[in-house]
Amino acid sequence: MSFFSRPTRAVSHPPAPSRVATAPAKPAPDPDAPAAAHWKGTFSALVALFFTAVTLHGWRPSEIACYAAICTAVGIVVSIAFDLQRGVRNLQRADLFAILAYYFLTLFEFLFPQSSFDKMLSPESTIDGIRVCLLGFAGLFIGRHLLIPKRQPFRATLTHEIPRGWLIVIFWLSFFIGYSNMLAAVHLDFIEMIKWFMAPRFTQPWGRERLGNWSSLLYELSMLIQLLPPLAGIILARRRRYPLVHVALVVAALALTLFYGFAGGTRNIFATFLVTFLIGYSLALPPGRTRELGALAGACAIVMCLATYFMLQFRDVGLQDYLAGKWVPPPSEAGQKKTLYVDYNLFSICKLVEFFPRSHEFLGFEIPYQALIRPVPRALWPDKPTGLTMSIEDALNVEGLTVAASFAGEAYMSGGTVVVFVIAIGLGAFMGWWGSLASPRNSEIGHLVYASGFFAAVITMRSLFVFTTALLPTAVAIILSTVIVRTLIRHAHKLLRRSRPIPRMPPGPPQPVRRA
């Protein structure tokens, strides 16, 4: 070794990185992303619907309907599973609730034994009716992707924060105006109004006349009751922001409204109350309270299933007589096994497919025209048409009853399967567009507007004729919230003008410095 040579040191190298490939982490769902259906879920649902329509089989009508109910439910569940990839809040969409409502009205009851259904139809008629029903599902699934705006509509109104007191004011204005017609009919006797809630349907003194007049305009104000459940859901979800007295009064008003919907015996009204309450609650619920929302959703589902069974029994005799034990099952139901019954909308669809166009020509534009002009008061239009030339009850040869056939049955009366598909696509497109109004940046007034639209989305699945009327409270909410927001902005601008800083005086000439 040389004298000038340096001793070598052992150099330690870092361990070589492992070459094992790791899968990239899945990106978390964007909380600000607009609510929208996943196209893979829609494709899966359409495949399930097509498979169901092609493979329909069975010896008895109830077996065929049960097969369709199971296959369609599988398609809907798979579609929801894909939607969940974008977060739980992506399920708060009007199109999804409309599809679930349509399924509940047409096929859900056939998941349970329906022996009486076998005596009503032939297997051939059942298959034809189910295919029309499935076409309605396909239109709703496809249409929800066709009208998605790039920007949130009404953004300036829906995202502007308002004072908390305004929401309480809107709630009680809707409460007193909505119930004013009923209170006026019983001379402001609140207890008497509750008793009339429990009377048989269509016997209440505040019922609307068939053709209507100027006095019936007061009856239309009762539609503001539809705003109470979503408002109550928003307030209760953020109950810590409000005094306890206000929260207790809102709970009491909500209980009265739910009792009003339940005692009336009209299940679609009660269902929409629960849905709009749940949507308002879920939209306003702060993050981190998922269990609370899940428990509330489960409770609402159980309540709706129980209500579906009991409301059917007392709706003709009234809740008061039913509780007193005066209800007797009709002879046709005596001795039959108890099962879940919704409304047999599928039966009505099948009979309409048999009747049109074999026994009567299609009604054409008559049904959409009636749906469009329905909100116009007869007091303003005395010559407004009084009804259809051929109603569902006439086609089914039924007297003294109101028969529902869902929007698919009414659309078939208008022009057959093509019109069913076109109207279903139109409704689906509107529901998809309405979903673009949802945003995590929405204020409480924005949550109210969005949640109130679910009333029209759900109830329209039962009948096209109520679509335009059911949208009126939502239109009122949009107009009222726009006026409030503009008023607040104008008031804020005035305050800014008044609070301008006082201008400073310019500095004077320099003063001479005195020396001691």
Side-chain angles (χ1 to χ4, degrees):
M1 179 184 296
S2 171
F3 181 81
F4 297 99
S5 63
R6 297 178 181 179
T8 59
R9 295 180 181 179
V11 180
S12 61
H13 299 280
S18 176
R19 296 184 179 181
V20 179
T22 57
K26 293 183 178 180
D30 185 5
D32 293 336
H38 201 296
W39 67 269
K40 291 182 180 179
T42 296
F43 179 77
S44 303
L46 291 176
V47 170
L49 293 173
F50 178 77
F51 175 81
T52 305
V54 172
T55 60
L56 278 175
H57 67 281
W59 292 102
R60 294 181 297 177
S62 60
E63 292 179 356
I64 302 172
C66 180
Y67 176 78
I70 294 174
C71 294
T72 305
V74 170
I76 295 175
V77 170
V78 173
S79 174
I80 293 176
F82 278 104
D83 292 340
L84 271 173
Q85 294 180 2
R86 299 176 179 176
V88 178
R89 291 186 178 271
N90 192 42
L91 302 184
Q92 302 166 347
R93 304 193 321 270
D95 63 278
L96 178 59
F97 276 81
I99 290 172
L100 293 176
Y102 182 51
Y103 180 81
F104 180 78
L105 291 170
T106 54
L107 296 177
F108 177 73
E109 56 197 341
F110 294 100
L111 297 175
F112 305 88
Q114 301 291 340
S115 57
S116 60
F117 191 75
D118 297 329
K119 305 174 184 178
M120 301 178 177
L121 294 168
S122 65
E124 295 76 16
S125 298
T126 305
I127 292 176
D128 293 339
I130 289 176
R131 285 174 177 166
V132 171
C133 179
L134 297 178
L135 198 61
F137 277 109
L140 292 174
F141 274 108
I142 295 174
R144 63 184 185 172
H145 294 276
L146 300 182
L147 195 61
I148 306 298
K150 296 181 180 180
R151 296 185 59 187
Q152 181 189 18
F154 311 113
R155 178 186 297 181
T157 298
L158 301 182
T159 59
H160 194 281
E161 294 291 340
I162 64 172
R164 289 173 291 177
W166 277 96
L167 207 65
I168 297 293
V169 171
I170 296 173
F171 181 88
W172 290 113
L173 279 177
S174 302
F175 179 86
F176 288 112
I177 295 176
Y179 284 102
S180 61
N181 178 55
M182 305 178 193
L183 290 171
V186 296
H187 307 289
L188 303 181
D189 191 339
F190 184 79
I191 303 300
E192 186 69 16
M193 183 181 71
I194 299 297
K195 292 180 179 179
W196 278 112
F197 283 173
M198 305 171 68
R201 290 196 303 174
F202 312 124
T203 61
Q204 285 75 14
W206 53 77
R208 184 181 183 275
E209 297 181 5
R210 178 178 176 270
L211 298 181
N213 50 31
W214 283 105
S215 61
S216 64
L217 293 178
L218 184 62
Y219 174 84
E220 305 299 338
L221 295 177
S222 61
M223 290 187 299
L224 290 178
I225 294 177
Q226 300 171 15
L227 298 179
L228 297 179
L231 274 169
I234 295 170
I235 294 173
L236 294 181
R238 302 184 176 183
R239 53 190 176 272
R240 297 175 183 175
R241 302 185 182 184
Y242 299 91
L244 182 60
V245 176
H246 289 289
V247 174
L249 292 176
V250 167
V251 170
L254 174 65
L256 175 67
T257 302
L258 292 178
F259 179 75
Y260 160 71
F262 175 77
T266 306
R267 288 164 294 172
N268 58 322
I269 297 294
F270 183 71
T272 52
F273 283 172
L274 287 179
V275 167
T276 53
F277 166 74
L278 186 61
I279 292 297
Y281 195 97
S282 61
L283 290 173
L285 191 67
R289 293 162 64 179
T290 307
R291 292 184 179 179
E292 178 181 338
L293 179 60
L296 183 63
C300 288
I302 294 174
V303 169
M304 188 61 219
C305 290
L306 294 175
T308 299
Y309 175 77
F310 288 105
M311 292 173 71
L312 183 65
Q313 298 187 16
F314 68 75
R315 65 178 180 178
D316 293 328
V317 300
L319 180 59
Q320 185 174 3
D321 290 343
Y322 177 79
L323 295 176
K326 298 181 181 180
W327 177 77
V328 178
S332 59
E333 298 182 5
Q336 293 185 3
K337 294 182 179 180
K338 292 185 178 181
T339 185
L340 182 67
Y341 169 78
V342 178
D343 219 9
Y344 273 6
N345 280 250
L346 182 60
F347 165 75
S348 302
I349 295 174
C350 295
K351 298 300 291 184
L352 291 174
V353 172
E354 287 182 357
F355 189 80
F356 293 95
R358 301 173 186 174
S359 303
H360 194 281
E361 61 183 4
F362 291 121
L363 302 183
F365 192 68
E366 188 175 347
I367 289 180
Y369 177 71
Q370 288 282 351
L372 289 174
I373 67 174
R374 190 180 181 92
V376 181
R378 188 170 298 277
L380 301 177
W381 186 7
D383 298 330
K384 189 173 82 167
T386 58
L388 299 174
T389 56
M390 173 63 66
S391 65
I392 300 177
E393 292 78 14
D394 295 335
L396 272 60
N397 195 20
V398 174
E399 297 181 359
L401 295 175
T402 302
V403 180
S406 77
F407 81 91
E410 295 170 348
Y412 186 86
M413 294 172 61
S414 183
T417 55
V418 176
V419 177
V420 172
F421 189 62
V422 170
I423 290 182
I425 285 181
L427 291 175
F430 175 80
M431 308 303 177
W433 176 85
W434 191 261
S436 63
L437 270 66
S439 172
R441 303 180 185 276
N442 280 358
S443 63
E444 292 179 336
I445 200 73
H447 293 327
L448 167 62
V449 170
Y450 181 67
S452 64
F454 280 69
F455 185 90
V458 172
I459 204 171
T460 303
M461 295 298 101
R462 186 177 186 270
S463 176
L464 284 172
F465 297 111
V466 300
F467 177 63
T468 50
T469 306
L471 280 177
L472 291 180
T474 303
V476 171
I478 293 175
I479 295 172
L480 184 61
S481 58
T482 302
V483 172
I484 292 175
V485 168
R486 290 183 178 180
T487 302
L488 292 174
I489 293 175
R490 194 180 306 115
H491 185 64
H493 287 169
K494 290 181 179 179
L495 291 178
L496 288 175
R497 293 194 200 101
R498 294 176 182 176
S499 59
R500 288 179 178 175
I502 300 175
R504 296 180 179 179
M505 299 297 294
Q511 299 293 332
V513 179
R514 296 181 180 181
R515 296 181 178 179

